[in-house]
Amino acid sequence: PLSSFLYGFFYLFVQKSPFWLLLADGLGRFVIFTLFFSGAYLVSRELSRFANPLIVLGLLTAMPLVVEMYNFPSDPLFAALSAFSFWQVLRFYNTHRVRHLWLASSLLGLAAMARNDGLVLLPILVIVTLILSLPNRQWWKPLLACMVPFIAIVGGYILLTGLLTGNFNPG
């Protein structure tokens, strides 16, 4: 539903134009691919001790997989939000600030709203958080931070949709 919401939002700005479909699609794709490359850059910047972040951006412009993703905007939207989430996990690893996990979980919840593949990433986030947090006495705070926002976003959507339609099946 996130892709539909995003394109519906852009429609509000171009609805009076006879070319509203093309304009909304163009705006949506521009924003999605900007997010995609920004996410890749932020992740590579966190890993800059291994390689220059600009190398990753250069590779992304030429990889056949990335070119194929231009056909289906939900794929790069999911990849962008997952990259932003991974960036926040790396920030947590480097700084040990729990607020990064709150943001990572929120972004992962939005990624799950872009594609249901995001549901598979929550257990991975929980396992990584446990591995990084178990040496700490208050390991439950990071664990809570990585679960609550995701469950609120995804569960809230399922609950709201179920109440409105009578169907609680998340698909």
Side-chain angles (χ1 to χ4, degrees), residues 28-92:
R29 286 177 189 258
F30 178 76
V31 167
I32 287 171
F33 292 116
T34 301
L35 289 173
F36 177 71
F37 284 101
S38 298
Y41 176 75
L42 289 172
V43 167
S44 61
R45 194 178 73 186
E46 282 300 312
L47 301 171
S48 63
R49 64 181 173 257
F50 301 111
N52 187 337
L54 295 177
I55 292 173
V56 173
L57 291 180
L59 290 173
L60 283 178
T61 59
M63 290 176 58
L65 174 65
V66 175
V67 175
E68 285 296 317
M69 284 195 335
Y70 291 138
N71 294 328
F72 305 105
S74 67
D75 294 346
L77 181 59
F78 170 74
L81 291 168
S82 298
F84 282 124
S85 180
F86 184 51
W87 167 57
Q88 287 301 306
V89 171
L90 290 172
R91 295 289 301 152
F92 172 71

Side-chain angles (χ1 to χ4, degrees), residues 7-161:
Y7 282 106
F9 177 74
F10 289 124
Y11 169 74
L12 295 174
F13 296 104
V14 297
Q15 62 185 331
K16 295 192 186 327
S17 171
F19 302 107
W20 63 267
L21 181 62
L22 294 172
L23 293 171
D25 183 57
L27 282 170
R29 286 177 189 258
F30 178 76
V31 167
I32 287 171
F33 292 116
T34 301
L35 289 173
F36 177 71
F37 284 101
S38 298
Y41 176 75
L42 289 172
V43 167
S44 61
R45 194 178 73 186
E46 282 300 312
L47 301 171
S48 63
R49 64 181 173 257
F50 301 111
N52 187 337
L54 295 177
I55 292 173
V56 173
L57 291 180
L59 290 173
L60 283 178
T61 59
M63 290 176 58
L65 174 65
V66 175
V67 175
E68 285 296 317
M69 284 195 335
Y70 291 138
N71 294 328
F72 305 105
S74 67
D75 294 346
L77 181 59
F78 170 74
L81 291 168
S82 298
F84 282 124
S85 180
F86 184 51
W87 167 57
Q88 287 301 306
V89 171
L90 290 172
R91 295 289 301 152
F92 172 71
Y93 175 73
N94 291 329
T95 65
H96 300 290
R97 292 188 182 143
V98 177
R99 68 178 179 182
H100 294 296
L101 288 178
W102 285 97
L103 189 53
S105 179
S106 300
L107 291 164
L108 195 58
L110 291 175
M113 295 284 92
R115 289 192 51 152
N116 58 5
D117 302 346
L119 298 172
V120 176
L121 295 178
L122 179 63
I124 296 169
L125 178 62
V126 169
I127 291 168
V128 167
T129 300
L130 279 174
I131 290 170
L132 295 176
S133 302
L134 276 179
N136 189 353
R137 295 172 98 190
Q138 296 184 344
W139 57 268
W140 57 272
K141 286 182 181 179
L143 186 64
L144 199 62
C146 79
M147 293 178 68
V148 170
F150 183 92
I151 292 170
I153 291 170
V154 175
Y157 172 76
I158 292 171
L159 181 66
L160 184 65
T161 302

